[in-house]
Amino acid sequence: MEKAIQVKELKKSYQQHQVLKNVNFDVEKGSIFALLGSNGAGKTTLVKILATLLKPDGGSAAVNGFEVTAQPEHVRQSISLTGQFAAVDEILTGRENLIMIAKLRHLKNSHQVADDLLKRFGLVDAADRRASTYSGGMRRRLDIAMSLIGKPRLIFLDEPTTGLDPEARIEVWNVVRELANSGTTVFLTTQYLEEAEQLADHIAILHEGRIIASGTLEELKKRFPPAKVEYIEKQPSLEEIFLAIISKKEAK
């Protein structure tokens, strides 16, 4: 498989604190790669290096075949980055946000691009409302739609469901799956284990600046002793109960 990202012996320190310690991993094109880690593990630092926002202290990294330190402009043209909090202009409408980004990317058909993305992300009915009136899930969908303008080959989603309610989280999950199905490589950082379990083709765990485990979900499961088989009555989770109640309300 072709590699969208190749990282070898990557290092980064802030003064005396070593944040990344000889990090190594690859990401296959068209896959969903989840990077897990607690706060302070180095996830955001790693994303910033891959997105050319920070320079590493050592090692190498290539994104879409371009070296992040030697060819930063080529890297930037082939990626998009969505941070932990939606970067939409709340004074503008959803449509105006999309048109603005399309014009900044020097696209000639900015209005058509906006219309296509509004339809793709289910925002047509809210297109001419100010983004300040959007729910958390709608705002995040708009944010991701803005990131897709210019058709980047790879999108970084840095903890995209932080602060979202369960319903909005599932909205974002569906968007991520749709991106991967369309051929976009997705690099996802998250603290939510269920998120990685639901979405990722490949999972890496970053702990204290090092990748301590990497593989598919099934490969990672094999590293632990087999589970005991016991009969228990499965109770619905609180998230399942919440979503069922919401669905019934909307159906009335």
Side-chain angles (χ1 to χ4, degrees):
M1 294 288 290
E2 290 187 79
K3 307 299 182 184
I5 298 176
Q6 293 177 294
V7 174
K8 296 179 182 177
E9 302 295 317
L10 203 64
K11 303 180 187 72
K12 181 65 182 178
S13 297
Y14 295 110
Q15 296 181 344
Q16 302 302 314
H17 178 53
Q18 195 171 5
V19 180
L20 299 177
K21 308 167 185 176
N22 300 316
V23 172
N24 295 275
F25 65 88
D26 293 334
V27 177
E28 293 180 357
K29 286 187 177 179
S31 68
I32 301 175
F33 180 94
L35 182 67
L36 301 181
S38 56
N39 282 333
K43 302 189 304 298
T44 297
T45 296
L46 181 53
V47 168
K48 285 183 176 179
I49 290 173
L50 295 175
T52 75
L53 300 176
L54 276 178
K55 288 188 176 181
D57 297 330
S60 65
V63 175
N64 292 322
F66 305 113
E67 269 286 335
V68 296
T69 52
Q71 301 168 293
E73 289 296 328
H74 290 86
V75 172
R76 290 178 200 138
Q77 289 171 10
S78 69
I79 67 167
S80 267
L81 170 62
T82 298
Q84 294 180 22
F85 304 100
V88 302
D89 188 322
E90 297 195 349
I91 296 175
L92 301 179
T93 67
R95 189 190 308 278
E96 288 168 343
N97 268 283
L98 292 165
I99 290 172
M100 175 182 67
I101 298 300
K103 286 183 176 179
L104 288 172
R105 285 195 175 258
H106 307 292
L107 301 183
K108 294 179 181 179
N109 55 339
S110 57
H111 285 77
Q112 186 61 53
V113 169
D115 288 343
D116 291 344
L117 286 168
L118 288 166
K119 188 174 181 180
R120 178 177 176 183
F121 285 88
L123 293 169
V124 173
D125 291 342
D128 297 311
R129 281 168 38 197
R130 285 190 177 187
S132 59
T133 68
Y134 284 15
S135 67
M138 292 169 67
R139 197 170 303 185
R140 179 53 84 186
R141 276 187 281 148
L142 176 61
D143 192 32
I144 294 173
M146 290 162 63
S147 296
L148 291 181
I149 291 173
K151 297 182 179 179
R153 287 181 272 164
L154 186 152
I155 181 169
F156 291 99
L157 300 177
D158 190 13
E159 300 193 15
T161 60
T162 296
L164 297 184
D165 60 43
E167 195 174 19
R169 281 176 63 201
I170 290 174
E171 282 184 43
V172 174
W173 290 358
N174 290 335
V175 169
V176 172
R177 290 190 187 100
E178 198 266 335
L179 288 176
N181 289 337
S182 67
T184 303
T185 306
V186 179
F187 186 105
L188 172 75
T189 73
T190 182
Q191 297 182 58
Y192 301 125
L193 304 186
E194 183 190 8
E195 192 157 271
E197 190 171 356
Q198 289 285 332
L199 296 174
D201 299 307
H202 194 97
I203 299 165
I205 300 173
L206 185 66
H207 181 67
E208 296 181 349
R210 298 183 189 277
I211 300 289
I212 60 170
S214 180
T216 65
L217 180 60
E218 290 304 314
E219 287 170 345
L220 294 179
K221 283 180 177 179
K222 288 177 183 177
R223 299 182 58 166
F224 296 89
K228 293 180 180 178
V229 178
E230 296 180 355
Y231 174 77
I232 59 170
E233 183 179 350
K234 184 180 182 298
Q235 296 294 324
S237 67
L238 182 58
E239 184 168 280
E240 289 171 333
I241 293 169
F242 173 86
L243 292 171
I245 291 170
I246 291 294
S247 297
K248 286 180 181 177
K249 287 284 186 183
E250 290 178 348
K252 288 183 179 180

